[in-house]
């Protein structure tokens, strides 16, 4: 398992991921089913969390009313 985690870490670094984490199944046991990722994948044992920063300029076009394409990628979801 450690080898798989290290491979994932290296890939995340290659793709300039800002945040990477691994959460064990028991961390989600108190969540309601609609918020628990293991509801979708009941056979999974670990949840992989990936985060990328959204810079100020990314959504500026949405704020100014000239570019709503980025909103569906970053603002709504």
């Amino acid at each position: 398992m450690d080898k798989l985690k290290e491979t994932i870490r290296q890939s995340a670094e290659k793709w300039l991921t800002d945040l990477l984490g691994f959460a064990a199944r028991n961390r989600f046991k108190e969540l309601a089913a609609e918020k628990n990722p293991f509801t979708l994948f009941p056979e999974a044992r670990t949840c992989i969390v990936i985060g990328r920063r959204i810079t100020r300029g990314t959504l500026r076009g949405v704020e100014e009313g000239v570019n709503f394409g980025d909103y569906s990628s970053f603002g709504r979801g």
Side-chain angles (χ1 to χ4, degrees):
M1 186 62 146
D2 290 332
K3 186 175 180 181
L4 177 59
K5 282 185 179 180
E6 188 55 37
T7 302
I8 293 170
R9 281 190 180 102
Q10 289 172 358
S11 295
E13 187 176 311
K14 175 184 167 191
W15 290 101
L16 305 175
T17 300
D18 296 313
L19 176 72
L20 176 70
F22 300 91
R25 182 183 192 92
N26 62 357
R27 304 264 327 240
F28 299 90
K29 65 183 175 189
E30 301 296 324
L31 287 179
E34 63 270 7
K35 295 186 179 198
N36 190 329
F38 294 100
T39 301
L40 296 173
F41 301 103
E43 68 281 350
R45 293 180 291 175
T46 303
C47 182
I48 302 170
V49 181
I50 299 172
R52 301 234 15 223
R53 96 186 63 190
I54 301 172
T55 58
R56 169 88 172 94
T58 303
L59 296 176
R60 190 164 184 185
V62 175
E63 292 172 353
E64 295 176 358
V66 294
N67 178 10
F68 291 101
D70 289 339
Y71 180 72
S72 62
S73 297
F74 297 110
R76 185 179 50 182

